């Protein structure tokens, strides 16, 4: 039996139709799986200040050169430096006369001006766009002296499965009280890096290198979210680190 051109054409059209209809559901199934995976991932870990944390993490895992603490100078240290410089500029030290050596006469100290109270910053209703903005606000809120870096902090790294010595960069350090404050922007989870930060703070406190620790959580202007996961809350409480969610 001969197959005419018309029959061949019909067979070709039928095969194309079957191929297309069989292909379309597969495409939809793949895209649906991808959407579900994306939604699942985004609902578990959302940390808005990961840019800042990434920089800190890179710094904290770098090798330690010396064991001394370093950071911003306290107000007392700055005053001491200024007083020493002024004394030498006057030509003497510890009561020396202006233009002379260290003999006779004394410098009458000027009365200290009454310090003006600094108004507390206002928490933005929409939250912070970046982690750096949160850190800036926190320093103003707690009268902090900026970042302070502690070296040689022993901490257990779950990924490496061993104890390591790393730096700990404090977001807002109040030198007068010796209190370390940590800032987080957005909904924060207990990642390996965050867990190590908590462990480092607990160790710094137990070793007496800081007198106190407090963590602060702020709203993200990008996602509108704020707060912490259940396991992060439980871990902070386990390590007896107080925290505040600023709403």
């Amino acid at each position: 039996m001969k197959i005419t051109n018309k029959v061949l054409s019909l067979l070709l059209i039928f095969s194309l139709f079957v191929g297309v209809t069989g292909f379309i559901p597969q495409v939809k199934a793949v895209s649906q799986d991808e959407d579900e995976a994306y939604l699942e991932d985004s609902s578990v870990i959302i940390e808005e200040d990961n840019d800042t944390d990434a920089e800190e993490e890179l710094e904290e895992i770098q090798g330690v050169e010396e064991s001394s603490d370093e950071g911003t100078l306290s107000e007392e240290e700055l005053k001491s430096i200024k007083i020493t410089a002024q004394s030498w500029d006057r030509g003497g030290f510890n009561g020396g006369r202006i233009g002379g050596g260290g003999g006779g006469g004394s410098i009458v100290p000027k009365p200290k001006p009454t310090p003006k109270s600094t108004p507390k910053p206002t928490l933005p209703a929409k939250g912070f766009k970046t982690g750096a903005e949160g850190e800036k606000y926190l320093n103003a809120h707690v009268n902090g002296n900026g970042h302070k870096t502690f070296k040689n902090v022993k901490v257990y790294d779950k990924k490496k499965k061993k104890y390591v010595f790393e730096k700990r960069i404090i977001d807002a350090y109040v030198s007068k009280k010796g209190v370390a404050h940590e800032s987080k922007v957005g909904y924060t989870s207990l990642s390996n890096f965050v867990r190590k930060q908590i462990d480092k703070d607990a160790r710094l406190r137990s070793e007496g290198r800081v007198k106190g620790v407090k963590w602060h959580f702020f709203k993200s202007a990008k996602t509108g979210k704020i707060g912490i996961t259940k396991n992060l809350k439980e871990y902070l409480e386990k390590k007896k680190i107080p925290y505040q969610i600023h709403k």
Side-chain angles (χ1 to χ4, degrees):
M1 182 178 178
K2 293 183 178 180
I3 300 175
T4 63
N5 291 336
K6 187 175 182 179
V7 174
L8 285 172
S9 298
L10 289 172
L11 288 172
L12 181 60
I13 293 170
F14 178 77
S15 63
L16 289 172
F17 177 78
V18 172
V20 171
T21 53
F23 177 72
I24 290 174
Q26 294 177 3
V27 173
K28 288 185 177 178
V30 172
S31 62
Q32 186 178 359
D33 291 342
E34 289 175 349
D35 288 342
E36 287 176 357
Y38 172 77
L39 290 173
E40 185 176 82
D41 291 342
S42 63
S43 64
V44 175
I45 299 175
I46 306 171
E47 192 172 339
E48 283 307 303
D49 64 339
N50 50 8
D51 289 340
T52 304
D53 278 352
E55 293 174 3
E56 290 183 3
E57 184 171 12
L58 182 62
E59 254 189 285
E60 289 186 6
I61 63 176
Q62 287 175 346
V64 180
E65 296 177 357
E66 54 188 78
S67 60
S68 62
D69 298 339
E70 65 176 14
T72 54
L73 292 174
S74 65
E75 292 183 10
E76 289 79 9
E77 290 170 329
L78 290 172
K79 285 180 181 178
S80 176
I81 293 172
K82 289 178 181 178
I83 291 171
T84 304
Q86 289 172 358
S87 299
W88 284 113
D89 287 341
R90 292 189 178 102
F93 191 68
N94 291 335
R97 292 183 298 178
I98 298 175
S106 62
I107 300 171
V108 180
K110 293 182 179 179
K112 294 182 179 180
T114 305
K116 296 180 180 180
S117 58
T118 305
K120 292 292 182 182
T122 304
L123 190 67
K126 292 183 179 180
F128 299 109
K129 294 180 181 179
T130 64
E133 288 183 2
E135 292 175 11
K136 184 178 180 181
Y137 169 86
L138 181 58
N139 270 282
H141 181 71
V142 300
N143 293 323
N145 303 96
H147 285 185
K148 183 175 178 65
T149 301
F150 290 90
K151 295 182 178 181
N152 283 334
V153 185
K154 186 179 180 181
V155 64
Y156 185 78
D157 191 313
K158 276 191 173 182
K159 289 184 178 180
K160 297 179 180 179
K161 296 182 179 180
K162 65 178 182 178
Y163 280 95
V164 293
F165 286 88
E166 294 179 354
K167 298 177 183 178
R168 173 64 173 114
I169 302 173
I170 304 301
D171 290 336
Y173 184 71
V174 183
S175 58
K176 285 184 177 180
K177 299 180 179 179
V179 179
H181 295 267
E182 174 67 21
S183 168
K184 296 292 181 191
V185 174
Y187 190 69
T188 311
S189 63
L190 186 63
S191 63
N192 182 59
F193 174 62
V194 171
R195 184 191 60 78
K196 284 200 300 179
Q197 284 186 311
I198 295 172
D199 289 345
K200 289 176 185 178
D201 288 351
R203 183 170 290 275
L204 287 172
R205 185 180 57 190
S206 66
E207 292 178 351
R209 296 170 74 178
V210 299
K211 294 180 181 178
V213 178
K214 187 173 181 179
W215 280 46
H216 303 258
F217 300 91
F218 301 103
K219 183 178 180 181
S220 165
K222 292 180 180 179
T223 65
K225 294 186 178 182
I226 184 175
I228 56 180
T229 58
K230 182 181 178 182
N231 57 351
L232 174 53
K233 176 179 179 293
E234 291 174 349
Y235 201 71
L236 284 167
E237 291 173 352
K238 178 183 177 182
K239 295 295 181 177
K240 296 181 181 180
I241 292 180
Y243 64 90
Q244 182 178 355
I245 298 176
H246 297 260
K247 295 184 178 179

